[in-house]
Amino acid sequence: MIINDEHYNLESRKDEFLNSKPFPHLQLKNFLKKDFFEDFQNTKEDTTSKNSGKNFETDVEDKKWISKNSELSSITKKIIDELSSDLWAKNLRDLTGISDLFCTTVGNTDLANYHEMKPGGLLAPHVDHSSEPKTGYPHVLNIVVYLTKEWDTSWGGGTDLLNNKGSKIITKVPYLPNSAVIFLHTPFSFHGVSRINEKAKFVRKSIYIDYYSQSFDPYKHINLDFKNKWFEHGTTFVLPKFNSYFKKENSLYRKIKLDYLINKFFN
Ligand SMILES: [Fe+2]
């Protein structure tokens, strides 16, 4: 196994997870075994060829590249495989109390598990897609693993967790190399990455995996600072300025936001 053994007992951190604000989350330090983390530093994903991924240069996603490769490097794949294993899923069920949490088998071509962000990059506040692409089951949990070895926290690059409207940052989980961030995903779990300092010396690398629940009322046992209901929505961004919603190039973001607000109202 490549994840440090101490992180296979997440039940012991359940209270810490559930009581974190603005919504349940946890940072796991020294996440991957040291030798494996070193090995990862020698691997490179193909970020240049046309079919390998997608680049973003918009108001809400900038200098960001996501992998759509059906074949990732064997090292990257090992991390994804362990985070999708039965044993790890059980660990997450114990942490969250979501007894029917499961890993998706949809894979990288659909869900883009490997990300890179260049200096100056940005990922504006958003909630992810609400549903598993194949079954429609609720998206309930995320893990992000920080994989760049050398990183100065003054460059930014951590994960911002925001209030339930996505308008105010409440917590910043710092980009600590070889740490992982786990957070509960709900229709109100707004998160993002503030603009990375242009002076950052390295690319921000991360792996992202999401988890789902077979229940359509997956948060009922969790006390949240907002309505603990799930509803359907696409990846919904909060645009930087109100005016931004009226720009032609943002029409898709505007449409998704409107759908989100309608579904929120009727739930
Ligand atoms: Fe996200």
Side-chain angles (χ1 to χ4, degrees), residues 8-160:
Y8 269 93
N9 180 24
L10 289 181
E11 192 169 18
S12 64
R13 298 183 69 182
K14 189 173 183 177
D15 287 346
E16 185 190 342
F17 172 76
L18 291 176
N19 293 321
S20 299
K21 301 291 174 195
F23 44 81
H25 69 275
L26 202 58
Q27 187 164 30
L28 311 177
K29 293 175 186 165
N30 300 314
F31 186 62
L32 301 171
K33 290 186 176 159
K34 199 164 170 273
D35 291 351
F36 186 86
F37 184 64
E38 296 293 332
D39 283 352
F40 176 83
Q41 305 306 318
N42 302 320
T43 190
K44 250 201 164 93
E45 297 304 332
D46 170 14
T47 60
T48 50
S49 69
K50 201 169 166 259
N51 295 322
S52 69
K54 195 176 167 196
N55 249 312
F56 292 89
E57 309 277 334
T58 72
D59 277 352
V60 292
E61 296 172 276
D62 198 9
K63 298 187 171 66
K64 183 190 151 188
W65 178 86
I66 62 171
S67 161
K68 292 274 184 183
N69 272 344
S70 48
E71 278 306 313
L72 289 160
S73 73
S74 64
I75 299 230
T76 302
K77 201 169 169 299
K78 260 191 191 163
I79 305 174
I80 294 170
D81 285 350
E82 188 158 330
L83 289 172
S84 310
S85 67
D86 290 345
L87 195 61
W88 183 253
K90 184 193 178 299
N91 196 25
L92 295 179
R93 280 182 220 120
D94 294 343
L95 171 72
T96 58
I98 300 174
S99 56
D100 46 18
L101 178 146
F102 69 98
C103 307
T104 173
T105 54
V106 168
N108 191 59
T109 39
D110 265 344
L111 288 172
N113 298 124
Y114 178 75
H115 299 187
E116 290 192 0
M117 199 184 270
K118 289 184 183 144
L122 163 82
L123 178 60
H126 66 281
V127 288
D128 300 343
H129 58 286
S130 62
S131 315
E132 209 253 356
K134 268 190 209 155
T135 60
Y137 281 133
H139 176 182
V140 294
L141 197 75
N142 283 349
I143 184 162
V144 180
V145 187
Y146 296 154
L147 289 164
T148 301
K149 190 182 173 188
E150 287 179 73
W151 194 266
D152 189 318
T153 43
S154 71
W155 299 339
T159 302
D160 301 334

